[in-house]
């Protein structure tokens, strides 16, 4: 299992060369700690100098595990379920930009908060149908471009649709695309799943999982709360999971502290 951690690059507001410099500093810091890659939470991937990024990745023998896309909804208000057709199409267009960046960097594209929240001007049924229709289009685009999409069940305090793993699996079955798989986040798993069955269930669905997010019950670094990471990660490890587990927490007291603390704890659990 490979390890990464989430960071932004502030590409919307910073000059291009500064973004590349920030990326290089992150690669150096994380590589030295023993991470295999970085997950980027981006807003406008097309503003990044992809050639510089690829050179930096090569020189550090480092990877971009995945691209987070949720800020498209948070900052622009575009979403895959939006009742306004123009804003729904804009969400799909934005995902195309992420996919173009992902093809070049061999990263996954995450479908999480970008599916949006139900609006009082719409209905849950309409929004769900929109999400399904948008996802079919995105899966076609992903197939054409050769990119993998990772669909994330997210807890019901943050989002209205697909809160549980089983509801996300039903959706994946309906879309039926070889380019749409699951992202399992330990934080949402702890909030939404039945503790009596979760380890068995995870074992059964592990072949559908293409990416993992790690945060403890307090949404801080793994090991600082009471989530059973040993059981969680070993379930995947024993099922032959070889992709990324990515730290996605509140970065307090600092990103650097979370990175150091997390990797130390995870190396111990994974025996690496
Ligand atoms: C995104 O990966 C996620 O987990 C959401 O809860 C956004 O914070
Ligand atoms: Mn997550």
């Amino acid at each position: 299992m490979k390890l990464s951690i989430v960071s932004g690059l502030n590409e919307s507001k910073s000059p291009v060369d500064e973004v590349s410099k920030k990326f290089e500093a992150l690669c150096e810091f994380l590589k030295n700690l023993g991470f295999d890659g970085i997950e980027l939470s981006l807003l406008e991937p097309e503003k990044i100098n992809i050639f510089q990024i690829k050179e930096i990745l090569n020189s550090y023998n480092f990877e971009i595990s995945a691209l987070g896309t949720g800020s498209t909804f948070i900052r622009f208000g575009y979403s895959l379920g939006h009742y306004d057709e123009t804003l729904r199409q804009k969400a799909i267009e934005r995902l195309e930009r992420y996919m173009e960046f992902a093809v070049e960097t061999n990263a996954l594209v995450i479908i999480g908060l970008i599916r949006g929240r139900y609006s009082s001007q719409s209905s849950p049924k309409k929004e769900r149908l929109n999400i399904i229709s948008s996802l079919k289009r995105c899966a076609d685009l992903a197939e054409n471009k050769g990119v993998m999409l990772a669909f994330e069940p997210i807890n019901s305090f943050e989002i209205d649709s697909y809160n549980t793993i089983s509801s996300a699996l039903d959706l994946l079955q309906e879309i039926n695309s070889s380019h749409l798989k699951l992202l399992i986040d330990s934080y949402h798993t702890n909030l939404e799943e039945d503790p009596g069955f979760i380890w068995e269930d995870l074992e059964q669905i592990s072949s559908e999982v293409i990416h993992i997010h790690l945060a403890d019950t307090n949404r801080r670094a793994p090991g600082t709360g009471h989530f059973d990471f040993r059981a969680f990660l070993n379930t995947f490890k024993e099922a032959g999971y070889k992709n990324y587990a990515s730290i996605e927490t509140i970065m307090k007291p600092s990103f650097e502290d979370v990175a150091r603390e997390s990797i130390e704890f995870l190396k111990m659990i994974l025996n690496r």
Side-chain angles (χ1 to χ4, degrees), residues 113 152 154 158 185 188 213 219 248:
L113 288 178
E152 179 175 24
I154 292 178
E158 290 182 58
D185 184 319
H188 305 310
H213 277 163
R219 220 165 196 182
E248 185 198 45

Side-chain angles (χ1 to χ4, degrees), residues 4-192:
S4 65
I5 183 166
V6 176
S7 175
L9 290 179
N10 210 18
E11 74 284 356
S12 288
K13 293 193 180 137
S14 312
V16 181
D17 286 349
E18 220 169 87
V19 172
S20 297
K21 260 193 208 155
K22 174 170 182 171
F23 183 72
E24 178 155 21
L26 281 166
C27 289
E28 186 174 5
F29 172 69
L30 295 172
K31 181 81 188 180
N32 283 337
L33 283 183
F35 282 95
D36 306 285
I38 182 166
E39 176 179 325
L40 293 177
S41 172
L42 301 176
L43 182 63
E44 294 179 291
E46 68 275 20
K47 290 199 171 158
I48 296 171
N49 184 329
I50 191 86
F51 300 105
Q52 287 178 356
I53 295 297
K54 282 168 78 168
E55 258 180 31
I56 295 164
L57 286 173
N58 279 338
S59 70
Y60 285 90
N61 189 22
F62 212 54
E63 294 182 313
I64 297 177
S65 59
L67 304 179
T69 60
S71 52
T72 304
F73 175 60
I74 296 164
R75 301 274 290 278
F76 292 144
Y78 308 152
S79 69
L80 299 180
H82 213 293
Y83 66 90
D84 181 326
E85 183 58 18
T86 312
L87 300 188
R88 187 175 77 84
Q89 288 302 332
K90 283 205 187 253
I92 298 173
E93 274 168 36
R94 294 306 309 152
L95 276 173
E96 253 192 290
R97 302 289 89 75
Y98 287 98
M99 286 188 221
E100 283 155 8
F101 188 95
V103 175
E104 294 290 333
T105 53
N106 209 20
L108 304 171
V109 176
I110 296 172
I111 311 282
L113 288 178
I114 195 169
R115 58 187 179 271
R117 301 211 67 159
Y118 294 156
S119 160
S120 55
Q121 284 155 279
S122 182
S123 71
K125 190 175 172 202
K126 177 83 183 107
E127 292 246 350
R128 250 171 206 268
L129 288 173
N130 282 344
I131 290 171
I132 291 168
S133 151
S134 304
L135 266 184
K136 282 186 177 154
R137 174 80 190 120
C138 291
D140 283 346
L141 290 167
E143 275 172 41
N144 289 337
K145 292 182 195 299
V147 174
M148 293 302 291
L149 304 177
F151 187 88
E152 179 175 24
I154 292 178
N155 77 74
S156 50
F157 299 102
E158 290 182 58
I159 208 165
D160 311 301
S161 63
Y162 306 104
N163 308 117
T164 60
I165 296 172
S166 64
S167 66
L169 274 174
D170 289 346
L171 173 73
L172 261 53
Q173 231 168 28
E174 178 162 0
I175 308 281
N176 191 24
S177 165
S178 54
H179 285 63
L180 182 62
K181 297 272 183 188
L182 265 189
L183 189 177
I184 301 294
D185 184 319
S186 62
Y187 181 74
H188 305 310
T189 301
N190 175 63
L191 286 173
E192 294 289 340

